[in-house]
Amino acid sequence: MKESDSKLIATLGRLKGSECPSERELGEFVGNSLAAQERQTVESHLRSCPYCINRVVEMRETALLLLEGEKAPDRLIARLQQLIPNRPQGALTPQPVLKRWFAGIAQTLGTTRDRLSDWITPRFVVEVVAASAVAIVLVMVISPGHREKTGAERQYAMAPAGAGLGSSETAVVTAFREGVTSVALSAIVAALNHPPLLSALSATRGAANDAGYANALDATVALVTDEGTVGLGSIIGAPGQVLTNWHLVKNSHGVAVMVPLKPDEGARSTASYTALVTKLDPASDLAILTIEHPPPGLKTIPKGKAGTIEPGSEVQVIGKLEGKIALIPATTAALRPDYQWLDAGVIHRTTAIEVLMEFPPEIFGGAILDSRGRLIGVYSYAQQGGGRAYAVSVEVAQTLLKQTATASQPAGAAATSSYRAQSFGPYIKGVYLKSVEPPPDIWFVYATAGSLPLYSASGRMNRLAIDTIVKPQGPGLHSLTYYFDSKCDGQIDLVGYSDNGSTIERYERPTQKVSVASLAPEMVRALRAHIIPYPKLHFCGQARR
Amino acid sequence: MTQELKDLLPGVIAGDKESWDAFVRTYSPLVYRLLGKFSSLTPNEREDLTQDVFLLLLDRGVRQFRGSTAYEFAAYIRMITQNEAKSHLRRHGRRFELQVLDQERDEDEDRPVIDPAADRSSDPEEMTLDAENRRALLGCIQNIPEIDQEIFWMRQREDSYQEISRMLNLPTGTIASKFHRAKSSIEECLRRAGIL
């Protein structure tokens, strides 16, 4: 391209009309399905908006690419089609339990043969085959089809799909959202009471097991976040460190945990505390919380080793049955060193224990225990209808814990490393501003996206971390520019760049002064239009609500 | 095209095997071709990423699509694919940045398209043109027919006359003349306005 051309393009490219048409309008424009008048409106917009012209051109290019070009390999197409497996003959007949078990085991065998290195031994295959035979026999014997359900089956059948919130939990959620004072918040949190943890352990286990399991249940907490998410966590270390799932707390600005109390500690079955999210790791779907002002004498779950668990072992998942936290038996199938799963649009990839269980509970974050009640994983993901569930291995959690310890040490490195970006998941950014410690709790962030009016809101998360929420208005996230006024002096003192909405890639101090005032009105407009319903937002110079 | 899509997507969301197979047949070439534009991907990575994109589509992607036209859906797939590729390259420590974020970096071979939107966010100072230049620029382009402007940009994006002809269903000769007319008209006007 000639130099004058590049200059022309660069100049023109900066031009953008106001009130750009939506993706839908452009789609209909390109597809010739707009009514004449609308078509004219869009066309006249396009004439003065090179930016939208390029959106249109991209649409046309993509449509052409859909029709012609390099052929995708047949084996790839076959592999993609297998993402929805062929339905086995006669599935969904009156004995789904049996069928699901059988399918689960058969699939496990297939995938382990193909993919596993760690646990795959001929012995394992034999064991699983043997286990499957036993399971089938058992189900057939106790499940002739028209007899009364056993107690255990009834429990499974009634296990809540997505737990509803009780009134005290709802009060906490509301309090978090409305940003009440910390005194009021602790009073509301203190009123939380979780139903008693299941005390009756299975009668079939020995006394040694019982003690280990009872300890693990004592060290299990229920948690509720300002987003209304509920889940479980395990107390794994002093002072009040709780291991749970990233996906439960990723968007949270407030977390309350309910710690079980002994029956002789009064009428209440749990005591409640607020907790800070101190470490998040989207890749492994793990998070570490720290209970604020933890009471003395909290129980902790000892850590076992996922790497030494034999396939086919019986393990216990701490989950929820009939609203009570309970041990739910499961059988290990494999240790998957690089397991990937998708949840809410985020791909997780980590070492996970695959377990088979009849009805995987839908409350996550609880521990998976070995036969001595030691934590070997965090129950994180259940395949829909597959009878298979996955727990992130304790070894991954331990690495994460160590990272936390390192991160809290002063880095003492060069100036550029004083800003550390951390992804808190899609659209959530966290920034540690080590040079301003503690960071001001009144500050300002403004975000723009390439094609969309994206805005961000900010609040204080804890002494070290500042969080930011970005609410995208559509799918076309190109790049974001953040402007931070962390000193609250009306000048932007840090600019962050991100190009996919999940991490801030780069920080720079602007060389020229840019005043916040030149950006703020757009932010205010966005707020007024309720683009960001975020209660804790405030601007520099404004009194906190 | 749109009707087919309307028939297909609900089946995919419901987990219907036949719909899924058809969906894969229709859209896997697009994803595969889009990934082909990222030259630093190995053939294996390209196939794995195609699978990742389809996993995403299967898991939430299709359900979360809010548009109504096939063009929007293809654009939606393009967005997902490009994001996947970029984050993959980044995860594996390979250089990938939108050109915007680093204008001083001269070459970025992964860059799939010219993205004026991204361009704007590179530098806060550059984000807005001053009012005078803006008016002049607008004056230069707003009388150029929409279709001519499209052709102008398609050429800037290095689309061939053949491709443009397929996209717009116009003969290549017409396209060439429209392009030259649009280009010289814009250039001349900008020169008069002192911008170029």
Side-chain angles (χ1 to χ4, degrees):
Chain A
M1 201 187 287
K2 282 185 299 189
E3 199 192 328
S4 65
D5 281 2
S6 343
K7 200 172 162 197
L8 170 69
I9 299 306
T11 317
L12 269 180
R14 256 177 245 136
L15 197 57
K16 182 178 176 183
S18 57
E19 292 170 21
C20 293
S22 68
E23 198 79 352
R24 173 177 302 223
E25 282 171 303
L26 289 187
E28 290 181 358
F29 175 81
V30 174
N32 274 327
S33 54
L34 275 182
Q37 201 185 344
E38 287 170 308
R39 182 169 183 86
Q40 219 167 16
T41 313
V42 172
E43 210 172 285
S44 113
H45 172 87
L46 288 174
R47 276 205 308 276
S48 55
C49 183
Y51 168 67
C52 284
I53 290 258
N54 272 282
R55 286 169 72 197
V56 165
V57 167
E58 259 184 29
M59 271 189 181
R60 292 201 204 274
E61 285 172 351
T62 310
L64 185 68
L65 210 56
L66 180 64
L67 298 176
E68 47 192 64
E70 195 182 350
K71 200 173 164 291
D74 288 339
R75 62 162 192 288
L76 175 64
I77 293 179
R79 185 170 136 201
L80 298 176
Q81 289 178 333
Q82 279 309 303
L83 293 175
I84 291 187
N86 287 314
R87 189 166 290 158
Q89 288 284 313
L92 307 174
T93 50
Q95 285 186 316
V97 173
L98 171 61
K99 290 277 170 30
R100 220 179 299 164
W101 259 96
F102 189 74
I105 289 163
Q107 261 181 346
T108 307
L109 278 176
T111 47
T112 19
R113 269 204 208 102
D114 291 341
R115 298 180 49 182
L116 276 187
S117 51
D118 279 25
W119 284 15
I120 179 69
T121 59
R123 191 174 126 263
F124 165 55
V125 175
V126 170
E127 274 188 3
V128 175
V129 171
S132 69
V134 171
I136 292 162
V137 171
L138 272 177
V139 174
M140 283 178 156
V141 170
I142 63 168
S143 177
H146 51 317
R147 102 213 113 73
E148 288 273 309
K149 281 182 173 173
T150 65
E153 269 186 331
R154 210 162 32 240
Q155 276 195 329
Y156 283 127
M158 291 171 68
L165 295 182
S167 60
S168 62
E169 287 169 336
T170 310
V172 171
V173 173
T174 313
F176 276 137
R177 285 187 184 163
E178 288 176 355
V180 297
T181 65
S182 59
V183 178
L185 181 65
S186 36
I188 294 165
V189 169
L192 270 179
N193 194 22
H194 199 272
L197 305 182
L198 196 71
S199 50
L201 294 164
S202 163
T204 59
R205 281 176 211 108
N209 282 352
D210 280 5
Y213 293 148
N215 175 70
L217 284 173
D218 283 345
T220 295
V221 302
L223 57 92
V224 53
T225 74
D226 60 340
E227 297 241 311
T229 321
V230 293
L232 300 177
S234 310
I235 305 177
I236 45 159
Q241 270 184 330
V242 174
L243 178 64
T244 186
N245 279 132
W246 169 86
H247 76 260
L248 297 171
V249 297
K250 60 181 175 182
N251 292 346
S252 307
H253 297 84
V255 181
V257 298
M258 289 155 265
V259 179
L261 293 174
K262 286 264 166 296
D264 57 11
E265 285 177 294
R268 298 166 53 84
S269 53
T270 59
S272 308
Y273 304 89
T274 52
L276 298 172
V277 180
T278 43
K279 187 73 193 175
L280 287 159
D281 184 25
S284 67
D285 195 20
L286 291 182
I288 311 275
L289 315 178
T290 305
I291 299 176
E292 289 187 290
H293 314 297
L298 284 179
K299 288 276 175 59
T300 58
I301 305 189
K303 296 180 203 80
K305 285 197 170 101
T308 59
I309 298 291
E310 294 284 327
S313 312
E314 190 187 348
V315 291
Q316 303 292 328
V317 175
I318 300 188
K320 229 174 179 183
L321 283 182
E322 293 189 311
K324 290 177 181 174
I325 294 171
L327 295 170
I328 303 165
T331 307
T332 56
L335 182 68
R336 295 181 168 273
D338 191 22
Y339 183 67
Q340 280 186 64
W341 73 98
L342 255 163
D343 193 24
V346 177
I347 296 179
H348 303 289
R349 175 181 274 177
T350 189
T351 303
I353 307 165
E354 180 178 313
V355 296
L356 303 177
M357 54 200 311
E358 228 173 330
F359 294 101
E362 295 190 8
I363 294 275
F364 296 96
I368 285 206
L369 307 173
D370 67 10
S371 61
R372 290 167 61 184
R374 292 175 304 197
L375 181 137
I376 54 168
V378 177
Y379 179 74
S380 304
Y381 174 67
Q383 269 188 2
Q384 281 191 340
R388 285 193 284 178
Y390 298 85
V392 177
S393 84
V394 67
E395 284 82 1
V396 177
Q398 271 166 325
T399 312
L400 182 66
L401 277 169
K402 283 184 197 131
Q403 280 172 7
T404 312
T406 324
S408 61
Q409 301 294 319
T416 47
S417 72
S418 58
Y419 302 110
R420 200 158 63 78
Q422 187 181 2
S423 166
F424 288 174
Y427 319 130
I428 309 292
K429 326 285 174 289
V431 186
Y432 289 96
L433 294 177
K434 284 191 177 166
S435 61
V436 192
E437 198 178 354
D441 62 4
I442 299 175
W443 57 293
F444 174 85
V445 172
Y446 175 86
T448 54
S451 61
L452 298 157
L454 276 183
Y455 299 90
S456 89
S458 58
R460 195 175 65 119
M461 194 160 169
N462 63 34
R463 211 171 61 84
L464 285 176
I466 292 177
D467 59 323
T468 303
I469 290 185
V470 175
K471 298 272 182 193
Q473 297 298 295
L477 210 56
H478 289 296
S479 67
L480 298 172
T481 310
Y482 296 81
Y483 300 92
F484 298 84
D485 174 15
S486 58
K487 291 180 191 152
C488 281
D489 59 1
Q491 300 295 329
I492 309 263
D493 46 30
L494 183 64
V495 180
Y497 301 101
S498 158
D499 73 348
N500 66 352
S502 66
T503 48
I504 301 179
E505 289 292 299
R506 212 154 60 95
Y507 294 97
E508 264 176 19
R509 290 192 178 284
T511 46
Q512 283 175 304
K513 286 196 167 185
V514 179
S515 84
V516 168
S518 64
L519 300 170
E522 289 197 61
M523 183 74 161
V524 174
R525 270 201 297 280
L527 284 168
R528 289 210 178 115
H530 299 291
I531 291 172
I532 341 166
Y534 190 76
K536 291 180 186 167
L537 186 110
H538 38 264
F539 293 99
C540 290
Q542 269 183 354
R544 293 191 73 172
R545 268 199 281 164
Chain B
M1 195 167 177
T2 298
Q3 193 50 45
E4 274 172 33
L5 187 73
K6 276 193 179 134
D7 294 341
L8 206 53
L9 295 191
V12 171
I13 291 168
D16 172 56
K17 173 76 177 148
E18 258 177 54
S19 306
W20 177 252
D21 285 356
F23 178 78
V24 168
R25 272 196 305 277
T26 310
Y27 287 102
S28 57
L30 174 62
V31 174
Y32 189 72
R33 287 163 197 161
L34 284 166
L35 290 170
K37 301 193 184 233
F38 290 83
S39 54
S40 51
L41 290 175
T42 66
N44 275 344
E45 285 176 317
R46 191 173 167 194
E47 294 192 15
D48 286 349
L49 278 169
T50 309
Q51 177 165 332
D52 286 350
V53 168
F54 276 83
L55 269 170
L56 262 170
L57 288 166
L58 176 62
D59 184 65
R60 302 279 148 126
V62 173
R63 219 177 321 148
Q64 284 174 351
F65 174 63
R66 291 284 168 267
S68 60
T69 64
Y71 287 99
E72 279 168 85
F73 190 69
Y76 182 67
I77 288 192
R78 185 195 65 229
M79 182 272 300
I80 292 176
T81 306
Q82 289 176 350
N83 283 350
E84 280 299 297
K86 287 178 212 162
S87 74
H88 171 85
L89 288 171
R90 207 170 17 243
R91 238 188 347 257
H92 292 81
R94 257 167 293 166
R95 187 116 272 181
F96 178 85
E97 292 191 52
L98 292 185
Q99 85 242 46
V100 244
L101 298 186
D102 244 359
Q103 284 181 322
E104 66 271 23
R105 187 167 295 145
D106 36 10
E107 276 304 318
D108 185 345
E109 57 179 24
D110 288 322
R111 179 193 335 154
V113 287
I114 292 169
D115 187 347
D119 212 359
R120 260 192 314 281
S121 59
S122 60
D123 178 357
E125 295 295 295
E126 300 271 317
M127 277 182 58
T128 47
L129 294 161
D130 67 58
E132 202 178 313
N133 276 342
R134 193 184 159 78
R135 258 197 308 277
L137 266 179
L138 271 179
C140 288
I141 58 170
Q142 64 194 3
N143 291 324
I144 299 176
E146 190 272 331
I147 197 75
D148 294 16
Q149 292 199 36
E150 273 194 47
I151 293 168
F152 172 78
W153 282 104
M154 284 172 175
R155 285 297 293 157
Q156 299 310 325
R157 297 161 70 100
E158 293 173 2
D159 293 338
S160 71
Y161 282 120
Q162 261 77 25
E163 285 167 333
I164 299 174
S165 157
R166 303 291 300 266
M167 287 190 263
L168 298 176
N169 205 13
L170 291 171
T172 46
T174 312
I175 289 164
S177 74
K178 278 176 178 294
F179 170 66
H180 289 294
R181 206 168 53 212
K183 185 161 179 278
S184 53
S185 151
I186 292 173
E187 272 174 352
E188 196 191 311
C189 177
L190 289 181
R191 223 167 256 124
R192 267 207 312 275
I195 296 176
L196 200 63

